[in-house]
Amino acid sequence: MHLTVGPNQFFWKPDPWSALYDELARIAVDRVVIGELICSKRLPFYQDRIPDAIETLLAAGKKVAVTSLALVTLKRERKMTAELAGLGAELGVEVEVNDLTALAMLPEGTAFSVGPMVNVYNEGTLAWLASRGATRVCLPPELPLASVAALCQHARGLGVAIEVWGHGRLPLAISGRCYHARLHGRTKDNCQFACEDDPDGLTVDTLDRQPFLAINGVQTLSDTYANAANQIEALREVGVSGLRLSPQSTGFARLCHLFRQRIDGKTDAAALVSGLDEIARGMRLSDGFLSGVAGADWTGKPLQPL
Amino acid sequence: MEIVCPAGTPAALRAAVKAGAHTVYCGFNDETNARNFPGLNFDRAEMREGIRFAHDHGSKVLIAINTFPRAGAEGIWHDAVSDAASAGADAVILADPGLLAFAMQNHPDLRRHLSVQAAAANSDVINFYARCFDVKRVVLPRVLSVAEIAAINDQTKVETEVFVFGGLCVMAEGRCSLSSYATGLSPNMNGVCSPASHVDYHDEGDTLAVRLGGYTIHRAKPGEPAPYPTLCKGCFATQDQKGYLFEDPVSLNAEQLIPQLKKAGVTALKIEGRQRSRSYVAQVVRNFRDAVDALEEGRELPAGMLARLSEGQAETTGAYRKIWR
């Protein structure tokens, strides 16, 4: 199984942003997806650092992809998306499509990967994407194991590698409205970068003060960090070829290392989970989409074979 | 402009047609449509009959097959498309690329509309869907302003349909799994959002706690209305604020924007609410039909006629005005 680090979903200052990719170059992850997924207004703050970060990662032997935005509406965003294919070719990396607008802009015949924000729920859509040049698909985190299994089986015949969400706050929704700006009584156009002080998103509680969701600009995430520590054997058995880890502001390199050890059979799920607690005490976990009833559930148990 | 009206039952379909609906949209009574509620929607015979009734009265029928087929069970969705074709539907409303490909290959003459669930939010991707699947119309996601809709229409030949009344998704449709995160059931997979089966009202003495999937997202004092706990319109708290962090419990009413939407090149106006009663549907349809007729004839639009039908009495024009963002 390979480990992919997904695009950073949050708005980080340029220095911590660069530090993340310098660190990833030094540790045992296989693929890194880089670029802006959530908000086009953030990109100018670190855009000029992307080529260097990619070069560092490639020199360290990592596979690299550049992501599209998850929702493309504005003229500026369409232009950005149109430029992605050229940028990828120039830097020698592929594009990860997270909105079909990016696929619409890729020259026909270009190989690409598909991120978890694209709705790949069934064999028909998988086959259509493969016919357009998809070589790797990270499935939407909402899918249960039975769907993952059916898709993996179909993907083998298509020569497509299947990746599943391994760790991180779940991307649950995307909107035209910026919730960080709304919270500060501003509109999206005049947001004044209200999201910049929440490098892991801002936790949203229920009225019983139970942590529930997290807001990140136009994105809504889970409060919990979805974690597949207990499902790795089951995922491997159905043919999943990689796990996706989503960057967080504390202990991320250590987290990647713990996952590597778990995948390589050097530690078990319990050791991984307790290791995570040492990294970020009080980080709440979930595995409900893969093996529970609701996404927020934490079963903490291996999946029964299908 | 064409008025596209919801029908959750054969009775609502007949009511909408009689009230002047140019077009009615509905779904089969299973997980293939995004309003998969108990007691709602059409079996195959009802669908054939409903289409016959509509056609006899000069109205069209669109069938929404707009959830995402489940891996290993695509046949259920394929059958729905095939049955829509044989029942004589004027078009199917689809969101999933795999299902669009199936429909194009197996029923090339059945007109295809792109569902709002596909969240196609710019002309590039809309034209891409047209190239790949020959879609003739797109239902636009509720994240766009009127100016952006006009820009889209300038750059595509695909007809556009926009929501003007009823429930309002705050998130890009088809890209939201808040409901399955809290309850296990989602719009994309199950055709439900914040399902009633997971709602409970807990009496706490002086207040009523409203919960979804066990999460308290409203508290109402005696005499206060307790809105239905749809997740994106719930009441939440951050460290220092409490309130409707995503959206107030409002519903959409873009009635007064109809002239601007027409100018923006919009072909069809869509009314949400397949879960609504036939009398509600009939009244909304009548009012919107009057409004577009008035517009065509150069008369002034009647104002405020629909306010009392709205959820919780509060209304918004949503993303159509840019300040909503």
Side-chain angles (χ1 to χ4, degrees), chain A residues 4-77:
Chain A
T4 293
V5 174
N8 182 4
Q9 305 188 87
F10 308 101
F11 187 30
W12 290 8
K13 305 258 178 337
D15 285 343
W17 186 94
S18 294
L20 169 69
Y21 295 103
D22 287 342
E23 197 165 37
L24 291 178
R26 292 193 297 266
I27 64 172
V29 295
D30 307 290
R31 288 181 76 236
V32 178
V33 186
I34 198 168
E36 183 55 47
L37 179 69
I38 303 302
C39 179
S40 58
K41 291 180 71 174
R42 297 172 178 175
L43 190 60
F45 289 86
Y46 65 87
Q47 191 165 21
D48 58 346
R49 295 180 178 226
I50 292 177
D52 283 350
I54 289 178
E55 201 178 309
T56 306
L57 290 165
L58 289 175
K62 312 298 178 194
K63 285 190 181 143
V64 180
V66 283
T67 183
S68 78
L69 287 169
L71 181 67
V72 179
T73 56
L74 308 175
K75 205 169 183 179
R76 165 180 89 232
E77 295 167 348

Side-chain angles (χ1 to χ4, degrees), chain A:
Chain A
M1 251 184 186
H2 68 261
L3 281 180
T4 293
V5 174
N8 182 4
Q9 305 188 87
F10 308 101
F11 187 30
W12 290 8
K13 305 258 178 337
D15 285 343
W17 186 94
S18 294
L20 169 69
Y21 295 103
D22 287 342
E23 197 165 37
L24 291 178
R26 292 193 297 266
I27 64 172
V29 295
D30 307 290
R31 288 181 76 236
V32 178
V33 186
I34 198 168
E36 183 55 47
L37 179 69
I38 303 302
C39 179
S40 58
K41 291 180 71 174
R42 297 172 178 175
L43 190 60
F45 289 86
Y46 65 87
Q47 191 165 21
D48 58 346
R49 295 180 178 226
I50 292 177
D52 283 350
I54 289 178
E55 201 178 309
T56 306
L57 290 165
L58 289 175
K62 312 298 178 194
K63 285 190 181 143
V64 180
V66 283
T67 183
S68 78
L69 287 169
L71 181 67
V72 179
T73 56
L74 308 175
K75 205 169 183 179
R76 165 180 89 232
E77 295 167 348
R78 289 166 58 203
K79 189 162 166 279
M80 252 172 76
T81 309
E83 287 165 358
L84 262 189
L87 179 75
E90 193 182 305
L91 300 170
V93 299
E94 67 178 10
V95 172
E96 175 167 292
V97 172
N98 271 300
D99 180 304
L100 288 184
T101 307
L103 178 52
M105 308 273 200
L106 279 183
E108 222 165 331
T110 311
F112 62 93
S113 55
V114 177
M117 313 295 270
V118 174
N119 285 333
V120 183
Y121 280 83
N122 54 65
E123 298 89 334
T125 294
L126 189 64
W128 175 70
L129 288 167
S131 77
R132 308 276 325 179
T135 57
R136 186 185 302 273
V137 174
C138 179
L139 296 176
E142 187 182 49
L143 288 177
L145 183 72
S147 292
V148 174
L151 286 163
C152 282
Q153 198 181 6
H154 201 70
R156 267 195 292 277
L158 298 167
V160 173
I162 296 290
E163 200 174 284
V164 162
W165 194 265
H167 177 90
R169 280 187 153 169
L170 292 160
L172 295 178
I174 190 104
S175 175
R177 170 179 269 181
C178 176
Y179 303 116
H180 257 102
R182 177 171 161 88
L183 197 66
H184 287 80
R186 303 172 194 152
T187 64
K188 183 180 165 193
D189 291 338
N190 182 34
C191 69
Q192 296 167 46
F193 302 97
C195 61
E196 70 180 346
D197 297 324
D198 295 308
D200 296 294
L202 177 69
T203 297
V204 168
D205 295 344
T206 67
L207 294 183
D208 292 333
R209 284 287 171 195
Q210 179 184 14
F212 181 38
L213 301 171
I215 60 176
N216 171 37
V218 294
Q219 185 189 34
T220 305
L221 302 124
S222 59
D223 161 70
T224 59
Y225 290 73
N227 185 288
N230 285 285
Q231 287 82 26
I232 284 168
E233 285 75 16
L235 292 171
R236 186 182 277 136
E237 197 176 305
V238 302
V240 169
S241 65
L243 287 183
R244 172 163 299 218
L245 310 179
S246 185
Q248 62 187 61
S249 66
T250 39
F252 189 63
R254 172 86 188 139
L255 187 152
C256 293
H257 172 72
L258 289 171
F259 262 93
R260 182 91 261 165
Q261 294 218 307
R262 170 78 177 98
I263 286 173
D264 293 347
K266 291 178 185 147
T267 54
D268 60 10
L272 173 54
V273 169
S274 70
L276 292 174
D277 194 50
E278 281 163 30
I279 290 169
R281 206 157 288 283
M283 176 168 62
R284 291 165 290 274
L285 302 179
S286 64
D287 58 10
F289 277 140
L290 274 174
S291 52
V293 176
D297 296 344
W298 171 247
T299 67
K301 279 187 276 195
L303 271 172
Q304 294 304 309
L306 288 169

Side-chain angles (χ1 to χ4, degrees), chain B residues 41 102 107 137 202 218 224 237 241 262 273 283 302 304:
Chain B
N41 299 313
F102 170 87
H107 303 282
R137 182 181 292 184
H202 182 68
H218 276 297
E224 277 178 4
Q241 287 193 44
K262 185 180 162 71
Q283 189 172 350

Side-chain angles (χ1 to χ4, degrees), chain B residues 10-21:
Chain B
L13 179 144
R14 289 190 296 272
V17 166
K18 284 184 193 159

